[in-house]
Amino acid sequence: MNTRPTGRPVRHRERPPYDRDSLLEVAVVVFNERGYDRTSMEDLARRLGLSKSSIYHHVAGKEELLGLAVGRAMDALFAVLDEDPAADTTATARLRHVVRRSVEVLAAELPYVTLLLRVRGNSGVERRAQEQRREFDRRVAELVERAATEGSVRDDIEPHLVSRLLFGTVNSLVEWYRPEGGLSVAVLSDALTAVLFDGLTGRPARRSGPASDIPDRAAPN
């Protein structure tokens, strides 16, 4: 044991040990900051304060880390689709539920979903993730089609387009939503679901001024 000139033992500060989950958590942050393609194993080792060999003790490389990360996001989203509805649940109610729960998943797994949405198909892992996203869209489109058959949602827009529009809105949350910002997930999911399914004009607009200041479009000429 090393000692100072005074004879007291030198205490070395040790970094907390990493397991694969905690290593993945840091790696996802770095991938989102730098971009997956621009992140090297040296970058990860520097951020973690580890040697590359210590990282390789847990994973084969950064592509495995990417696979674990996007797999976690996709597993959570597919779990929403696989939740068992009650026997009398309509397709429209089921679709609303899927959208609402997907917002909750996005908030809970924000760094992982963010990374999933940024993959560009430049590796086998990324291409598989894109295939899974297409499968997710296909299953949502089937749900949209059943809801249209019920007559609860409009049937003049192609279901796959509706699916993309719905989840384009949900996915846009990664660009601005921050859990620490004070907006609760419940309020967010309620608002987004209401706008998507009921529209901005789902309720009568409140008039902010005297009635005489606002033209009555329903009045006869």
Side-chain angles (χ1 to χ4, degrees), residues 2 12 15 18 37 56 69 71 82 104 106-108 113 137 139 151 159 166 194 214:
N2 294 333
H12 296 287
R15 293 182 180 274
Y18 283 97
D37 291 333
Y56 288 128
D82 294 335
E104 294 172 358
L106 183 144
V113 177
D137 288 342
R139 289 183 60 180
L166 287 173
I214 303 175

Side-chain angles (χ1 to χ4, degrees), residues 181-210:
L183 178 62
S184 74
V185 177
V187 170
L188 178 64
S189 59
D190 282 347
L192 186 142
T193 306
V195 169
L196 288 177
F197 286 88
D198 304 327
L200 290 176
T201 58
R203 294 181 177 181
R206 293 182 178 179
R207 296 185 173 185
S208 58

Side-chain angles (χ1 to χ4, degrees), residues 76-190:
L77 289 168
F78 274 109
V80 169
L81 288 176
D82 294 335
E83 290 173 353
D84 291 331
D88 59 348
T89 301
T90 65
T92 304
R94 180 68 179 152
L95 183 60
R96 292 180 74 113
H97 173 81
V98 167
V99 170
R100 177 185 297 277
R101 288 283 292 115
S102 295
V103 173
E104 294 172 358
V105 166
L106 183 144
E109 305 287 353
L110 185 58
Y112 299 89
V113 177
T114 300
L115 183 60
L116 170 67
L117 297 177
R118 291 178 178 174
V119 298
R120 292 293 179 264
N122 296 327
S123 67
V125 167
E126 292 175 276
R127 287 188 290 275
R128 285 192 294 275
Q130 290 180 325
E131 289 172 3
Q132 287 182 303
R133 287 187 61 190
R134 285 191 287 270
E135 172 64 12
F136 184 89
D137 288 342
R138 184 190 66 77
R139 289 183 60 180
V140 173
E142 290 178 350
L143 194 53
V144 171
E145 190 169 12
R146 293 203 300 273
T149 301
E150 292 176 348
S152 301
V153 301
R154 56 191 303 163
D155 60 2
D156 59 332
I157 302 177
E158 203 277 326
H160 282 85
L161 177 57
V162 174
S163 174
R164 290 186 177 185
L165 291 172
L166 287 173
F167 277 86
T169 304
V170 173
N171 294 340
S172 71
L173 299 179
V174 303
E175 301 300 331
W176 61 267
Y177 177 70
R178 296 297 176 266
E180 67 276 9
L183 178 62
S184 74
V185 177
V187 170
L188 178 64
S189 59
D190 282 347

Side-chain angles (χ1 to χ4, degrees), residues 64-86:
E64 183 178 353
L65 287 167
L66 178 64
L68 292 169
V70 297
R72 174 168 165 168
M74 286 307 315
D75 286 348
L77 289 168
F78 274 109
V80 169
L81 288 176
D82 294 335
E83 290 173 353
D84 291 331

